[in-house]
Amino acid sequence: MDFTLNNEQRQLQQLARDFTRKEIIPIAAEYDQKEELPWQVVEKAFEVGLLNPSIPEHAGGLGLGMFDECLIAEEMAYGCMGIYTVLMASELGIAPILIGGTEEQQRRFLTPLTEKAGLAAFALSEPNNGSDAAAMGTTAVLDGDEWVINGTKMWISNGGLAEITVVFATTDKQGGHRATVALVVPKDAPGFSYNKIKHKMGQRASLTSELVFENVRVPKENQLGGQGDGFKIAMKTLDKTRIPVAAGSVGIARRAMDESVKYAKERAAFGKPIADFQAIQFKLAEMAIGIETGRLMYQKAAWLVDQGQPHGFESAIAKAYCSEMAFNAANEGIQVHGGYGYVGEYPVEKLLRDVKLNMIYEGTNEIQRVVISRTLLR
């Protein structure tokens, strides 16, 4: 067993760390308050090679693996989980094209994202179904050489802004997951519109949208895999992309710990720094225990992906554990800060608001426990 990063990985980690401290941390609170996506960060991430790094070399990209992607994730989420979600959600949109697309489709859809700053999106959830992904109401009807899409998608990160969106639809509402298809829809497709979802609790620097499809036509060659493969592609995608959520959660927990250590050394009570009190020391120790444990779990899951081995069980554990651990770390960080932690003067209250979503999106933590228990009982 070797836990040492190689030179390239250390350089990548440092690049992401420097980028976060220079480009993300200084503006995180501002864009959280404005509820706006900072497009300049997307452009700068593109310039330094931190945007869409999983695009394979044959499509003009870097072809980074999951482990390397997670190194970036932890560093960027340290700065702002909302801004990181913009970049992560693009990888989520790219993943089904890597899983279900041909090399020709990967070049056609992904090469443009290597030529200028652009995002992808993943559209599975709907207003009336999230975890029950097979019960979707969005329909796709084959009309000659074109698919005609009608329906609504909900809670879509980068929705409407992305250059391409992978949309999951059903060809038969009674057909369950065997009737699903995955279709790549370009941003400018006639009949495709979006509505921004406002007043989110956290991750407000990311764009979350409702997508509306009114007789949207896409050519048959925009279909990933075969008819009925949509659900399988979606589940394989989420098995992979839950891991960067776990890595981002570790980044948030690390930020909560660092902010708490700093404050505990500065804040005095009863004539000495509160860092001298065992009650505070134990809170910091619990944060460290969770961070170190969570990092090992997400790295194991990421390593399995890169080795081409089954990883659904490990990715579910990593996502559930790390997001809950980070929520606890942020919550205790507020406690360490006392009344100051409850207001926006210090960043810990934002960490708590942001990390809550990590327990919900890309499969709720209840769904992760279903995945884990099914593996145990199989």
Side-chain angles (χ1 to χ4, degrees), residues 225-263:
Q227 192 161 334
D229 286 347
F231 183 81
K232 180 172 64 176
I233 292 171
M235 294 304 104
K236 285 185 176 180
T237 295
L238 293 173
D239 273 351
K240 288 180 62 177
T241 57
R242 285 169 180 147
I243 306 171
V245 176
S249 299
V250 171
I252 289 180
R254 229 180 75 212
R255 180 70 180 279
M257 182 179 69
D258 287 353
E259 295 290 343
S260 298
V261 167
K262 179 183 175 184
Y263 184 83

PDB file of all heavy atoms in Angstrom, residues 225-263:
ATOM      1  N   GLY A 225     -25.795   5.019 -26.273  1.00  0.00           N
ATOM      2  CA  GLY A 225     -26.170   3.621 -26.078  1.00  0.00           C
ATOM      3  C   GLY A 225     -27.411   3.267 -26.876  1.00  0.00           C
ATOM      4  O   GLY A 225     -27.833   3.992 -27.783  1.00  0.00           O
ATOM      5  N   GLY A 226     -28.025   2.156 -26.501  1.00  0.00           N
ATOM      6  CA  GLY A 226     -29.213   1.696 -27.206  1.00  0.00           C
ATOM      7  C   GLY A 226     -30.492   2.111 -26.501  1.00  0.00           C
ATOM      8  O   GLY A 226     -30.481   2.696 -25.414  1.00  0.00           O
ATOM      9  N   GLN A 227     -31.606   1.806 -27.130  1.00  0.00           N
ATOM     10  CA  GLN A 227     -32.894   2.111 -26.520  1.00  0.00           C
ATOM     11  C   GLN A 227     -33.071   1.237 -25.277  1.00  0.00           C
ATOM     12  O   GLN A 227     -32.858   0.032 -25.310  1.00  0.00           O
ATOM     13  CB  GLN A 227     -34.033   1.867 -27.507  1.00  0.00           C
ATOM     14  CG  GLN A 227     -35.360   2.425 -27.053  1.00  0.00           C
ATOM     15  CD  GLN A 227     -36.335   2.582 -28.219  1.00  0.00           C
ATOM     16  OE1 GLN A 227     -35.911   2.743 -29.364  1.00  0.00           O
ATOM     17  NE2 GLN A 227     -37.629   2.549 -27.929  1.00  0.00           N
ATOM     18  N   GLY A 228     -33.406   1.865 -24.177  1.00  0.00           N
ATOM     19  CA  GLY A 228     -33.512   1.144 -22.915  1.00  0.00           C
ATOM     20  C   GLY A 228     -32.264   1.221 -22.066  1.00  0.00           C
ATOM     21  O   GLY A 228     -32.249   0.752 -20.922  1.00  0.00           O
ATOM     22  N   ASP A 229     -31.202   1.833 -22.599  1.00  0.00           N
ATOM     23  CA  ASP A 229     -29.932   1.925 -21.859  1.00  0.00           C
ATOM     24  C   ASP A 229     -29.850   3.154 -20.961  1.00  0.00           C
ATOM     25  O   ASP A 229     -28.891   3.293 -20.188  1.00  0.00           O
ATOM     26  CB  ASP A 229     -28.740   1.954 -22.827  1.00  0.00           C
ATOM     27  CG  ASP A 229     -28.458   0.595 -23.443  1.00  0.00           C
ATOM     28  OD1 ASP A 229     -29.014  -0.415 -22.942  1.00  0.00           O
ATOM     29  OD2 ASP A 229     -27.696   0.539 -24.429  1.00  0.00           O
ATOM     30  N   GLY A 230     -30.817   4.050 -21.049  1.00  0.00           N
ATOM     31  CA  GLY A 230     -30.724   5.317 -20.338  1.00  0.00           C
ATOM     32  C   GLY A 230     -30.553   5.168 -18.835  1.00  0.00           C
ATOM     33  O   GLY A 230     -29.684   5.797 -18.227  1.00  0.00           O
ATOM     34  N   PHE A 231     -31.388   4.316 -18.227  1.00  0.00           N
ATOM     35  CA  PHE A 231     -31.336   4.154 -16.778  1.00  0.00           C
ATOM     36  C   PHE A 231     -29.987   3.577 -16.351  1.00  0.00           C
ATOM     37  O   PHE A 231     -29.385   4.037 -15.373  1.00  0.00           O
ATOM     38  CB  PHE A 231     -32.471   3.240 -16.318  1.00  0.00           C
ATOM     39  CG  PHE A 231     -32.555   3.074 -14.826  1.00  0.00           C
ATOM     40  CD1 PHE A 231     -33.166   4.033 -14.038  1.00  0.00           C
ATOM     41  CD2 PHE A 231     -32.020   1.953 -14.203  1.00  0.00           C
ATOM     42  CE1 PHE A 231     -33.248   3.890 -12.659  1.00  0.00           C
ATOM     43  CE2 PHE A 231     -32.090   1.797 -12.828  1.00  0.00           C
ATOM     44  CZ  PHE A 231     -32.711   2.766 -12.060  1.00  0.00           C
ATOM     45  N   LYS A 232     -29.507   2.600 -17.089  1.00  0.00           N
ATOM     46  CA  LYS A 232     -28.215   1.970 -16.775  1.00  0.00           C
ATOM     47  C   LYS A 232     -27.082   2.996 -16.863  1.00  0.00           C
ATOM     48  O   LYS A 232     -26.198   3.036 -15.993  1.00  0.00           O
ATOM     49  CB  LYS A 232     -27.964   0.805 -17.741  1.00  0.00           C
ATOM     50  CG  LYS A 232     -26.658   0.078 -17.515  1.00  0.00           C
ATOM     51  CD  LYS A 232     -26.581  -1.172 -18.388  1.00  0.00           C
ATOM     52  CE  LYS A 232     -26.574  -0.821 -19.868  1.00  0.00           C
ATOM     53  NZ  LYS A 232     -26.415  -2.030 -20.713  1.00  0.00           N
ATOM     54  N   ILE A 233     -27.110   3.834 -17.892  1.00  0.00           N
ATOM     55  CA  ILE A 233     -26.088   4.871 -18.051  1.00  0.00           C
ATOM     56  C   ILE A 233     -26.154   5.860 -16.894  1.00  0.00           C
ATOM     57  O   ILE A 233     -25.125   6.271 -16.338  1.00  0.00           O
ATOM     58  CB  ILE A 233     -26.253   5.588 -19.406  1.00  0.00           C
ATOM     59  CG1 ILE A 233     -25.910   4.632 -20.555  1.00  0.00           C
ATOM     60  CG2 ILE A 233     -25.391   6.845 -19.472  1.00  0.00           C
ATOM     61  CD1 ILE A 233     -26.250   5.169 -21.937  1.00  0.00           C
ATOM     62  N   ALA A 234     -27.376   6.231 -16.495  1.00  0.00           N
ATOM     63  CA  ALA A 234     -27.538   7.186 -15.393  1.00  0.00           C
ATOM     64  C   ALA A 234     -26.987   6.620 -14.093  1.00  0.00           C
ATOM     65  O   ALA A 234     -26.294   7.320 -13.336  1.00  0.00           O
ATOM     66  CB  ALA A 234     -29.014   7.547 -15.229  1.00  0.00           C
ATOM     67  N   MET A 235     -27.293   5.360 -13.805  1.00  0.00           N
ATOM     68  CA  MET A 235     -26.840   4.766 -12.548  1.00  0.00           C
ATOM     69  C   MET A 235     -25.328   4.576 -12.533  1.00  0.00           C
ATOM     70  O   MET A 235     -24.670   4.805 -11.512  1.00  0.00           O
ATOM     71  CB  MET A 235     -27.552   3.430 -12.310  1.00  0.00           C
ATOM     72  CG  MET A 235     -29.062   3.546 -12.077  1.00  0.00           C
ATOM     73  SD  MET A 235     -29.516   4.647 -10.706  1.00  0.00           S
ATOM     74  CE  MET A 235     -30.081   6.114 -11.593  1.00  0.00           C
ATOM     75  N   LYS A 236     -24.754   4.170 -13.668  1.00  0.00           N
ATOM     76  CA  LYS A 236     -23.298   4.031 -13.736  1.00  0.00           C
ATOM     77  C   LYS A 236     -22.618   5.387 -13.574  1.00  0.00           C
ATOM     78  O   LYS A 236     -21.550   5.488 -12.958  1.00  0.00           O
ATOM     79  CB  LYS A 236     -22.890   3.394 -15.074  1.00  0.00           C
ATOM     80  CG  LYS A 236     -23.170   1.900 -15.161  1.00  0.00           C
ATOM     81  CD  LYS A 236     -22.619   1.321 -16.455  1.00  0.00           C
ATOM     82  CE  LYS A 236     -22.799  -0.198 -16.512  1.00  0.00           C
ATOM     83  NZ  LYS A 236     -22.258  -0.754 -17.771  1.00  0.00           N
ATOM     84  N   THR A 237     -23.244   6.423 -14.112  1.00  0.00           N
ATOM     85  CA  THR A 237     -22.714   7.771 -13.959  1.00  0.00           C
ATOM     86  C   THR A 237     -22.674   8.166 -12.488  1.00  0.00           C
ATOM     87  O   THR A 237     -21.645   8.624 -11.971  1.00  0.00           O
ATOM     88  CB  THR A 237     -23.577   8.777 -14.746  1.00  0.00           C
ATOM     89  OG1 THR A 237     -23.481   8.489 -16.147  1.00  0.00           O
ATOM     90  CG2 THR A 237     -23.120  10.211 -14.486  1.00  0.00           C
ATOM     91  N   LEU A 238     -23.795   7.991 -11.792  1.00  0.00           N
ATOM     92  CA  LEU A 238     -23.878   8.415 -10.396  1.00  0.00           C
ATOM     93  C   LEU A 238     -22.957   7.589  -9.498  1.00  0.00           C
ATOM     94  O   LEU A 238     -22.426   8.109  -8.506  1.00  0.00           O
ATOM     95  CB  LEU A 238     -25.325   8.332  -9.909  1.00  0.00           C
ATOM     96  CG  LEU A 238     -26.277   9.333 -10.573  1.00  0.00           C
ATOM     97  CD1 LEU A 238     -27.714   9.062 -10.160  1.00  0.00           C
ATOM     98  CD2 LEU A 238     -25.888  10.767 -10.238  1.00  0.00           C
ATOM     99  N   ASP A 239     -22.759   6.318  -9.835  1.00  0.00           N
ATOM    100  CA  ASP A 239     -21.817   5.504  -9.067  1.00  0.00           C
ATOM    101  C   ASP A 239     -20.421   6.131  -9.068  1.00  0.00           C
ATOM    102  O   ASP A 239     -19.671   6.026  -8.095  1.00  0.00           O
ATOM    103  CB  ASP A 239     -21.728   4.085  -9.645  1.00  0.00           C
ATOM    104  CG  ASP A 239     -22.790   3.161  -9.074  1.00  0.00           C
ATOM    105  OD1 ASP A 239     -23.482   3.564  -8.116  1.00  0.00           O
ATOM    106  OD2 ASP A 239     -22.939   2.036  -9.590  1.00  0.00           O
ATOM    107  N   LYS A 240     -20.075   6.773 -10.196  1.00  0.00           N
ATOM    108  CA  LYS A 240     -18.759   7.418 -10.293  1.00  0.00           C
ATOM    109  C   LYS A 240     -18.763   8.811  -9.675  1.00  0.00           C
ATOM    110  O   LYS A 240     -17.875   9.164  -8.907  1.00  0.00           O
ATOM    111  CB  LYS A 240     -18.340   7.538 -11.764  1.00  0.00           C
ATOM    112  CG  LYS A 240     -17.942   6.243 -12.430  1.00  0.00           C
ATOM    113  CD  LYS A 240     -17.546   6.470 -13.875  1.00  0.00           C
ATOM    114  CE  LYS A 240     -16.340   7.379 -14.032  1.00  0.00           C
ATOM    115  NZ  LYS A 240     -15.931   7.531 -15.444  1.00  0.00           N
ATOM    116  N   THR A 241     -19.769   9.611 -10.029  1.00  0.00           N
ATOM    117  CA  THR A 241     -19.705  11.037  -9.698  1.00  0.00           C
ATOM    118  C   THR A 241     -20.070  11.341  -8.250  1.00  0.00           C
ATOM    119  O   THR A 241     -19.932  12.485  -7.805  1.00  0.00           O
ATOM    120  CB  THR A 241     -20.602  11.849 -10.647  1.00  0.00           C
ATOM    121  OG1 THR A 241     -21.956  11.354 -10.577  1.00  0.00           O
ATOM    122  CG2 THR A 241     -20.105  11.735 -12.080  1.00  0.00           C
ATOM    123  N   ARG A 242     -20.531  10.330  -7.507  1.00  0.00           N
ATOM    124  CA  ARG A 242     -20.715  10.538  -6.070  1.00  0.00           C
ATOM    125  C   ARG A 242     -19.380  10.722  -5.364  1.00  0.00           C
ATOM    126  O   ARG A 242     -19.312  11.320  -4.285  1.00  0.00           O
ATOM    127  CB  ARG A 242     -21.436   9.326  -5.466  1.00  0.00           C
ATOM    128  CG  ARG A 242     -22.900   9.281  -5.790  1.00  0.00           C
ATOM    129  CD  ARG A 242     -23.549   7.968  -5.429  1.00  0.00           C
ATOM    130  NE  ARG A 242     -24.955   8.004  -5.783  1.00  0.00           N
ATOM    131  CZ  ARG A 242     -25.672   6.967  -6.186  1.00  0.00           C
ATOM    132  NH1 ARG A 242     -25.090   5.777  -6.273  1.00  0.00           N
ATOM    133  NH2 ARG A 242     -26.945   7.098  -6.489  1.00  0.00           N
ATOM    134  N   ILE A 243     -18.326  10.210  -5.960  1.00  0.00           N
ATOM    135  CA  ILE A 243     -17.023  10.252  -5.299  1.00  0.00           C
ATOM    136  C   ILE A 243     -16.488  11.684  -5.207  1.00  0.00           C
ATOM    137  O   ILE A 243     -16.003  12.084  -4.139  1.00  0.00           O
ATOM    138  CB  ILE A 243     -16.034   9.295  -5.993  1.00  0.00           C
ATOM    139  CG1 ILE A 243     -16.638   7.882  -6.070  1.00  0.00           C
ATOM    140  CG2 ILE A 243     -14.709   9.263  -5.238  1.00  0.00           C
ATOM    141  CD1 ILE A 243     -15.848   6.912  -6.922  1.00  0.00           C
ATOM    142  N   PRO A 244     -16.553  12.504  -6.269  1.00  0.00           N
ATOM    143  CA  PRO A 244     -16.148  13.902  -6.108  1.00  0.00           C
ATOM    144  C   PRO A 244     -17.014  14.680  -5.119  1.00  0.00           C
ATOM    145  O   PRO A 244     -16.538  15.666  -4.535  1.00  0.00           O
ATOM    146  CB  PRO A 244     -16.281  14.468  -7.529  1.00  0.00           C
ATOM    147  CG  PRO A 244     -16.138  13.293  -8.426  1.00  0.00           C
ATOM    148  CD  PRO A 244     -16.775  12.163  -7.690  1.00  0.00           C
ATOM    149  N   VAL A 245     -18.267  14.272  -4.909  1.00  0.00           N
ATOM    150  CA  VAL A 245     -19.080  14.890  -3.857  1.00  0.00           C
ATOM    151  C   VAL A 245     -18.456  14.589  -2.495  1.00  0.00           C
ATOM    152  O   VAL A 245     -18.358  15.461  -1.621  1.00  0.00           O
ATOM    153  CB  VAL A 245     -20.536  14.391  -3.906  1.00  0.00           C
ATOM    154  CG1 VAL A 245     -21.343  14.962  -2.737  1.00  0.00           C
ATOM    155  CG2 VAL A 245     -21.193  14.766  -5.222  1.00  0.00           C
ATOM    156  N   ALA A 246     -18.018  13.346  -2.314  1.00  0.00           N
ATOM    157  CA  ALA A 246     -17.350  12.966  -1.069  1.00  0.00           C
ATOM    158  C   ALA A 246     -16.067  13.761  -0.882  1.00  0.00           C
ATOM    159  O   ALA A 246     -15.776  14.261   0.210  1.00  0.00           O
ATOM    160  CB  ALA A 246     -17.051  11.464  -1.073  1.00  0.00           C
ATOM    161  N   ALA A 247     -15.289  13.891  -1.960  1.00  0.00           N
ATOM    162  CA  ALA A 247     -14.034  14.645  -1.872  1.00  0.00           C
ATOM    163  C   ALA A 247     -14.307  16.109  -1.533  1.00  0.00           C
ATOM    164  O   ALA A 247     -13.596  16.713  -0.719  1.00  0.00           O
ATOM    165  CB  ALA A 247     -13.271  14.535  -3.190  1.00  0.00           C
ATOM    166  N   GLY A 248     -15.338  16.681  -2.157  1.00  0.00           N
ATOM    167  CA  GLY A 248     -15.705  18.055  -1.848  1.00  0.00           C
ATOM    168  C   GLY A 248     -16.131  18.215  -0.401  1.00  0.00           C
ATOM    169  O   GLY A 248     -15.838  19.230   0.247  1.00  0.00           O
ATOM    170  N   SER A 249     -16.808  17.219   0.119  1.00  0.00           N
ATOM    171  CA  SER A 249     -17.228  17.250   1.519  1.00  0.00           C
ATOM    172  C   SER A 249     -16.021  17.285   2.444  1.00  0.00           C
ATOM    173  O   SER A 249     -16.018  18.001   3.457  1.00  0.00           O
ATOM    174  CB  SER A 249     -18.103  16.029   1.834  1.00  0.00           C
ATOM    175  OG  SER A 249     -19.275  16.026   1.049  1.00  0.00           O
ATOM    176  N   VAL A 250     -14.994  16.524   2.114  1.00  0.00           N
ATOM    177  CA  VAL A 250     -13.770  16.557   2.907  1.00  0.00           C
ATOM    178  C   VAL A 250     -13.140  17.950   2.856  1.00  0.00           C
ATOM    179  O   VAL A 250     -12.633  18.458   3.867  1.00  0.00           O
ATOM    180  CB  VAL A 250     -12.774  15.475   2.421  1.00  0.00           C
ATOM    181  CG1 VAL A 250     -11.405  15.640   3.088  1.00  0.00           C
ATOM    182  CG2 VAL A 250     -13.326  14.080   2.711  1.00  0.00           C
ATOM    183  N   GLY A 251     -13.199  18.591   1.693  1.00  0.00           N
ATOM    184  CA  GLY A 251     -12.686  19.950   1.580  1.00  0.00           C
ATOM    185  C   GLY A 251     -13.419  20.920   2.487  1.00  0.00           C
ATOM    186  O   GLY A 251     -12.807  21.780   3.139  1.00  0.00           O
ATOM    187  N   ILE A 252     -14.745  20.791   2.545  1.00  0.00           N
ATOM    188  CA  ILE A 252     -15.542  21.648   3.429  1.00  0.00           C
ATOM    189  C   ILE A 252     -15.174  21.391   4.892  1.00  0.00           C
ATOM    190  O   ILE A 252     -15.012  22.324   5.687  1.00  0.00           O
ATOM    191  CB  ILE A 252     -17.046  21.408   3.204  1.00  0.00           C
ATOM    192  CG1 ILE A 252     -17.473  21.976   1.851  1.00  0.00           C
ATOM    193  CG2 ILE A 252     -17.877  22.036   4.317  1.00  0.00           C
ATOM    194  CD1 ILE A 252     -18.941  21.780   1.539  1.00  0.00           C
ATOM    195  N   ALA A 253     -15.057  20.131   5.263  1.00  0.00           N
ATOM    196  CA  ALA A 253     -14.707  19.795   6.650  1.00  0.00           C
ATOM    197  C   ALA A 253     -13.339  20.352   7.019  1.00  0.00           C
ATOM    198  O   ALA A 253     -13.121  20.845   8.135  1.00  0.00           O
ATOM    199  CB  ALA A 253     -14.742  18.281   6.840  1.00  0.00           C
ATOM    200  N   ARG A 254     -12.403  20.279   6.078  1.00  0.00           N
ATOM    201  CA  ARG A 254     -11.060  20.821   6.316  1.00  0.00           C
ATOM    202  C   ARG A 254     -11.113  22.326   6.550  1.00  0.00           C
ATOM    203  O   ARG A 254     -10.426  22.865   7.419  1.00  0.00           O
ATOM    204  CB  ARG A 254     -10.184  20.528   5.090  1.00  0.00           C
ATOM    205  CG  ARG A 254      -8.840  19.917   5.405  1.00  0.00           C
ATOM    206  CD  ARG A 254      -8.065  19.667   4.136  1.00  0.00           C
ATOM    207  NE  ARG A 254      -7.527  20.890   3.585  1.00  0.00           N
ATOM    208  CZ  ARG A 254      -7.345  21.123   2.286  1.00  0.00           C
ATOM    209  NH1 ARG A 254      -7.709  20.233   1.382  1.00  0.00           N
ATOM    210  NH2 ARG A 254      -6.825  22.248   1.871  1.00  0.00           N
ATOM    211  N   ARG A 255     -11.949  22.997   5.771  1.00  0.00           N
ATOM    212  CA  ARG A 255     -12.097  24.453   5.942  1.00  0.00           C
ATOM    213  C   ARG A 255     -12.710  24.751   7.303  1.00  0.00           C
ATOM    214  O   ARG A 255     -12.263  25.689   8.002  1.00  0.00           O
ATOM    215  CB  ARG A 255     -12.985  25.012   4.827  1.00  0.00           C
ATOM    216  CG  ARG A 255     -13.209  26.529   4.902  1.00  0.00           C
ATOM    217  CD  ARG A 255     -11.958  27.304   4.563  1.00  0.00           C
ATOM    218  NE  ARG A 255     -12.176  28.757   4.640  1.00  0.00           N
ATOM    219  CZ  ARG A 255     -12.742  29.489   3.682  1.00  0.00           C
ATOM    220  NH1 ARG A 255     -13.162  28.913   2.547  1.00  0.00           N
ATOM    221  NH2 ARG A 255     -12.871  30.793   3.828  1.00  0.00           N
ATOM    222  N   ALA A 256     -13.726  23.971   7.703  1.00  0.00           N
ATOM    223  CA  ALA A 256     -14.356  24.176   9.015  1.00  0.00           C
ATOM    224  C   ALA A 256     -13.330  23.991  10.132  1.00  0.00           C
ATOM    225  O   ALA A 256     -13.302  24.762  11.101  1.00  0.00           O
ATOM    226  CB  ALA A 256     -15.525  23.215   9.194  1.00  0.00           C
ATOM    227  N   MET A 257     -12.487  22.978   9.992  1.00  0.00           N
ATOM    228  CA  MET A 257     -11.468  22.732  11.012  1.00  0.00           C
ATOM    229  C   MET A 257     -10.438  23.862  11.048  1.00  0.00           C
ATOM    230  O   MET A 257     -10.094  24.367  12.121  1.00  0.00           O
ATOM    231  CB  MET A 257     -10.763  21.400  10.751  1.00  0.00           C
ATOM    232  CG  MET A 257      -9.720  21.054  11.816  1.00  0.00           C
ATOM    233  SD  MET A 257      -8.907  19.461  11.528  1.00  0.00           S
ATOM    234  CE  MET A 257      -7.948  19.837  10.043  1.00  0.00           C
ATOM    235  N   ASP A 258      -9.956  24.282   9.884  1.00  0.00           N
ATOM    236  CA  ASP A 258      -8.948  25.340   9.840  1.00  0.00           C
ATOM    237  C   ASP A 258      -9.480  26.648  10.429  1.00  0.00           C
ATOM    238  O   ASP A 258      -8.781  27.335  11.184  1.00  0.00           O
ATOM    239  CB  ASP A 258      -8.485  25.568   8.399  1.00  0.00           C
ATOM    240  CG  ASP A 258      -7.588  24.455   7.884  1.00  0.00           C
ATOM    241  OD1 ASP A 258      -7.225  23.571   8.684  1.00  0.00           O
ATOM    242  OD2 ASP A 258      -7.260  24.467   6.681  1.00  0.00           O
ATOM    243  N   GLU A 259     -10.719  26.984  10.071  1.00  0.00           N
ATOM    244  CA  GLU A 259     -11.313  28.213  10.594  1.00  0.00           C
ATOM    245  C   GLU A 259     -11.516  28.113  12.114  1.00  0.00           C
ATOM    246  O   GLU A 259     -11.333  29.099  12.847  1.00  0.00           O
ATOM    247  CB  GLU A 259     -12.649  28.499   9.904  1.00  0.00           C
ATOM    248  CG  GLU A 259     -12.553  28.795   8.414  1.00  0.00           C
ATOM    249  CD  GLU A 259     -11.901  30.134   8.094  1.00  0.00           C
ATOM    250  OE1 GLU A 259     -11.819  30.985   9.012  1.00  0.00           O
ATOM    251  OE2 GLU A 259     -11.467  30.334   6.941  1.00  0.00           O
ATOM    252  N   SER A 260     -11.871  26.929  12.574  1.00  0.00           N
ATOM    253  CA  SER A 260     -12.114  26.733  14.007  1.00  0.00           C
ATOM    254  C   SER A 260     -10.816  26.780  14.806  1.00  0.00           C
ATOM    255  O   SER A 260     -10.762  27.361  15.899  1.00  0.00           O
ATOM    256  CB  SER A 260     -12.833  25.404  14.242  1.00  0.00           C
ATOM    257  OG  SER A 260     -14.104  25.408  13.610  1.00  0.00           O
ATOM    258  N   VAL A 261      -9.758  26.185  14.266  1.00  0.00           N
ATOM    259  CA  VAL A 261      -8.456  26.237  14.930  1.00  0.00           C
ATOM    260  C   VAL A 261      -7.982  27.688  15.037  1.00  0.00           C
ATOM    261  O   VAL A 261      -7.519  28.146  16.101  1.00  0.00           O
ATOM    262  CB  VAL A 261      -7.423  25.382  14.163  1.00  0.00           C
ATOM    263  CG1 VAL A 261      -6.000  25.675  14.662  1.00  0.00           C
ATOM    264  CG2 VAL A 261      -7.742  23.901  14.313  1.00  0.00           C
ATOM    265  N   LYS A 262      -8.092  28.413  13.939  1.00  0.00           N
ATOM    266  CA  LYS A 262      -7.669  29.814  13.919  1.00  0.00           C
ATOM    267  C   LYS A 262      -8.445  30.639  14.945  1.00  0.00           C
ATOM    268  O   LYS A 262      -7.859  31.401  15.725  1.00  0.00           O
ATOM    269  CB  LYS A 262      -7.876  30.382  12.512  1.00  0.00           C
ATOM    270  CG  LYS A 262      -7.501  31.846  12.361  1.00  0.00           C
ATOM    271  CD  LYS A 262      -7.813  32.318  10.945  1.00  0.00           C
ATOM    272  CE  LYS A 262      -7.565  33.812  10.808  1.00  0.00           C
ATOM    273  NZ  LYS A 262      -7.957  34.312   9.454  1.00  0.00           N
ATOM    274  N   TYR A 263      -9.774  30.477  14.958  1.00  0.00           N
ATOM    275  CA  TYR A 263     -10.604  31.261  15.872  1.00  0.00           C
ATOM    276  C   TYR A 263     -10.337  30.871  17.325  1.00  0.00           C
ATOM    277  O   TYR A 263     -10.274  31.734  18.214  1.00  0.00           O
ATOM    278  CB  TYR A 263     -12.082  31.058  15.538  1.00  0.00           C
ATOM    279  CG  TYR A 263     -13.015  31.908  16.374  1.00  0.00           C
ATOM    280  CD1 TYR A 263     -13.269  33.227  16.032  1.00  0.00           C
ATOM    281  CD2 TYR A 263     -13.635  31.393  17.505  1.00  0.00           C
ATOM    282  CE1 TYR A 263     -14.109  34.021  16.793  1.00  0.00           C
ATOM    283  CE2 TYR A 263     -14.477  32.171  18.281  1.00  0.00           C
ATOM    284  CZ  TYR A 263     -14.714  33.492  17.919  1.00  0.00           C
ATOM    285  OH  TYR A 263     -15.546  34.269  18.682  1.00  0.00           O
TER     286      TYR A 263
END
